[in-house]
Amino acid sequence: METINLNVWYGKLHVLKDVNLKIPSGKITAIIGPSGCGKSTLLKSLNRLVELIPETRVQGKVMLNGHNIYDSNIDPIEVRRRIGMVFQKPNPLPKSIFEYVAFGLRIRGIRGNELHERVKKALEVVGLWNDVKNRLRDSAFNLSVGQQQRLCIARAIVTEPEVILMDEPCSALDPISTAKNRRAHNELKKQIYDSRSYSQHTASI
């Protein structure tokens, strides 16, 4: 994945200026900088979520597998399917643990054994399966904040995106939950690049 002369404005405010960045395949790439420097804006620009912010203007290119995701013939919904996102604070839907993870798969028409196996696999990757396997029908809101964040990661990876973006996914967590989430990230990276069964790139800030 690569950005070429990427510029973003919020109204008249020029937030990102000529950003040129290459995110290598098979790596966890961290973007570091002071508060307010545009890290979240950059991340949202990588899957066109930034376009949902009023009065936003984008110039430049974001290349994924040789294609500019901002070309006029590219569907932004398809872009967001291929480039998953995990936000700073967990944002589970008012659904059961199972249905929250399965939501994207159901939209794509996946049912039956494949649906159940892929949900289980995603929960295993983030280290949640043993905690929730006997209460999959419980509300996602019944989980701890740290577990909810790992659940959000499971939902992001279950549809097998090519890229996963994470916006400070541990900043709102206590040290124990942070350690568990970091272990989940490392396990995710290991399984992704050993099996190639999920995404190819991960960018985090």
Side-chain angles (χ1 to χ4, degrees):
M1 195 173 196
E2 181 180 7
T3 67
I4 302 173
N5 297 326
L6 179 65
N7 288 264
V8 176
W9 290 262
Y10 294 149
K12 295 182 179 180
L13 181 61
H14 196 172
V15 182
L16 299 181
K17 301 178 180 180
D18 295 323
V19 177
N20 292 278
L21 173 69
K22 290 186 177 181
I23 300 174
S25 177
K27 301 291 184 181
I28 295 177
T29 301
I31 301 168
I32 301 172
S35 179
C37 72
K39 301 186 301 296
S40 293
T41 296
L42 174 58
L43 221 59
K44 291 174 183 177
S45 299
L46 299 181
N47 70 347
R48 296 184 61 170
L49 274 178
V50 73
E51 293 180 312
L52 301 179
I53 301 173
E55 299 184 7
T56 297
R57 181 162 58 96
V58 179
Q59 287 184 357
K61 297 179 179 180
V62 176
M63 307 300 294
L64 178 64
N65 297 329
H67 299 283
N68 180 17
I69 67 171
Y70 282 93
D71 280 347
S72 59
N73 62 334
I74 300 294
D75 181 1
I77 302 301
E78 178 63 15
V79 168
R80 293 164 199 152
R81 186 194 70 79
R82 295 172 62 187
I83 304 176
M85 184 83 173
V86 177
F87 295 95
Q88 184 175 2
K89 294 181 179 180
N91 55 347
L93 299 173
K95 292 180 177 293
S96 69
I97 294 168
F98 180 89
E99 289 300 332
Y100 177 74
V101 179
F103 184 74
L105 297 177
R106 289 196 185 279
I107 290 176
R108 291 162 179 76
I110 296 173
R111 300 287 188 273
N113 289 337
E114 181 181 359
L115 178 73
H116 287 266
E117 286 302 315
R118 288 177 65 170
V119 169
K120 178 183 177 182
K121 178 65 175 179
L123 290 170
E124 287 176 338
V125 168
V126 300
L128 263 184
W129 175 249
N130 288 334
D131 293 338
V132 304
K133 62 183 179 181
N134 294 322
R135 52 184 183 128
L136 292 173
R137 300 302 173 187
D138 288 359
S139 170
F141 294 123
N142 291 342
L143 298 176
S144 70
V145 174
Q147 289 174 322
Q148 286 183 18
Q149 189 67 304
R150 281 186 282 157
L151 190 71
C152 291
I153 296 172
R155 185 192 178 200
I157 67 174
V158 75
T159 54
E160 302 184 1
E162 297 171 46
V163 179
I164 300 173
L165 308 173
M166 297 186 181
D167 190 349
E168 300 188 52
C170 296
S171 65
L173 305 182
D174 61 81
I176 294 175
S177 295
T178 296
K180 289 181 179 180
N181 273 274
R182 286 178 175 170
R183 286 196 294 270
H185 298 166
N186 290 331
E187 180 63 19
L188 172 60
K189 177 179 181 292
K190 180 177 182 294
Q191 295 205 27
I192 285 171
Y193 307 124
D194 284 353
S195 67
R196 296 291 170 174
S197 62
Y198 285 107
S199 63
Q200 302 297 314
H201 317 269
T202 303
S204 179
I205 66 173

